[in-house]
Amino acid sequence: MRQPLVAGNWKMNGSLDSVTPLVEGIKAGLDSVTTAEMAVCPPYVYIPTVAALLAGTSIALGAQDVNDQESGAYTGEIAPNMLTDVGCKYAIVGHSERRSIYGESDAFTASKFAAARKAGLVPILCVGELLEEREQGITEQVVARQLGAVIELEGVAALGDAVIAYEPVWAIGTGKTATPDQAQEVHAFIRGKLAELDADVAAKVQILYGGSMNAGNAAELLSMADIDGGLIGGASLKPEDFLAIGIAANR
Ligand code: PEP
């Protein structure tokens, strides 16, 4: 059985004052989460503070992005080893906000994925279609292309040490969640595509759903066969909502 993962992407939210009550609130209710691994991805500058707050807990730490270079003249960027240095297990790569706002390509995302793995991080590879792409009926093509860039660079086996997050872009931060059937259809497509190349990887890889998952809709989404957890934006900023999603993953 794949262990569910519920990862919070705090995005560019919070302050030094707000991270402590947020983490303490999650810690306080953690006993009710019996099955899922919980993870939080704070803004870079708060990672050391959050790492100290998480010490001795089972909550994993992740970063929202990572650069593909090891070091050097890349002003403003953060290298994979810097993230392991401060206690990160996960790094999100290819979030749709990176792809759409900052123009990050499939190839750059794949390069980040490779660099993250090389440093010992578990990449959380985000894939997903725009609304117009769904309307054109090319969701599967888009997701296959995004996955294909990583497979081409790193080989399919690399996905066995990674997490995939299917995040339909039209559902992110919009309150418009994909229906469980819509999400399951794409999750099953992703697993099927991987199975064509490597059945073990396909059976093993956790595929998270992301896009307005919340306390109210999580149980139904998480009951689907190929949905192994969630990548949570807005609802990860409230401990009770984030915990409710973790509890919805109890088995
Ligand atoms: C996200 O940013 O990955 C996300 C899923 O955001 P939200 O839950 O707010 O839609």
Side-chain angles (χ1 to χ4, degrees):
M1 195 188 91
R2 295 179 293 270
Q3 185 188 18
L5 168 64
V6 176
N9 172 13
W10 294 358
K11 310 195 187 190
M12 199 171 72
N13 292 299
S15 65
L16 202 49
D17 282 343
S18 72
V19 296
T20 300
L22 176 49
V23 174
E24 292 299 348
I26 300 168
K27 282 161 65 174
L30 201 57
D31 281 353
S32 308
V33 178
T34 59
T35 313
E37 180 185 28
M38 303 297 280
V40 293
C41 303
Y44 287 134
V45 289
Y46 302 131
I47 288 176
T49 306
V50 172
L53 292 166
L54 293 181
T57 77
S58 60
I59 304 169
L61 188 58
Q64 298 173 20
D65 190 25
V66 64
N67 195 263
D68 66 337
Q69 301 297 316
E70 287 179 7
S71 65
Y74 301 97
T75 302
E77 291 298 314
I78 300 291
N81 279 322
M82 295 174 181
L83 297 178
T84 53
D85 210 14
V86 293
C88 287
K89 172 177 179 182
Y90 294 104
I92 299 172
V93 299
H95 190 279
S96 72
E97 287 150 19
R98 301 299 319 171
R99 293 179 190 265
S100 64
I101 304 173
Y102 301 103
E104 297 187 1
S105 65
D106 294 338
F108 190 33
T109 298
S111 184
K112 289 178 176 202
F113 179 102
R117 275 189 74 241
K118 190 172 171 205
L121 292 162
V122 178
I124 300 177
L125 171 68
C126 297
V127 297
E129 81 288 3
L130 303 169
L131 182 59
E132 55 264 38
E133 291 168 333
R134 176 160 283 264
E135 286 171 350
Q136 285 164 34
I138 57 169
T139 296
E140 292 186 353
Q141 263 170 265
V142 170
V143 167
R145 190 200 71 221
Q146 293 167 333
L147 273 179
V150 168
I151 294 169
E152 198 179 310
L153 186 68
E154 284 283 87
V156 68
L159 284 162
D161 307 324
V163 175
I164 297 171
Y166 168 58
E167 300 207 305
V169 180
W170 47 271
I172 297 179
T174 58
K176 282 189 208 158
T177 320
T179 65
D181 287 338
Q182 278 175 323
Q184 167 60 25
E185 195 179 1
V186 182
H187 283 235
F189 168 76
I190 292 170
R191 207 177 298 285
K193 268 267 156 221
L194 296 178
E196 286 169 15
L197 301 170
D198 188 323
D200 290 342
V201 168
K204 179 178 167 202
V205 68
Q206 293 155 302
I207 309 178
L208 314 184
Y209 169 79
S212 300
M213 192 189 269
N214 59 40
N217 60 29
E220 229 193 324
L221 285 159
L222 294 169
S223 72
M224 304 309 281
D226 290 294
I227 301 185
D228 305 315
L231 182 56
I232 320 297
S236 71
L237 298 171
K238 292 192 191 133
E240 61 280 15
D241 290 359
F242 189 54
L243 285 163
I245 298 170
I247 292 165
N250 287 352
R251 295 290 174 263

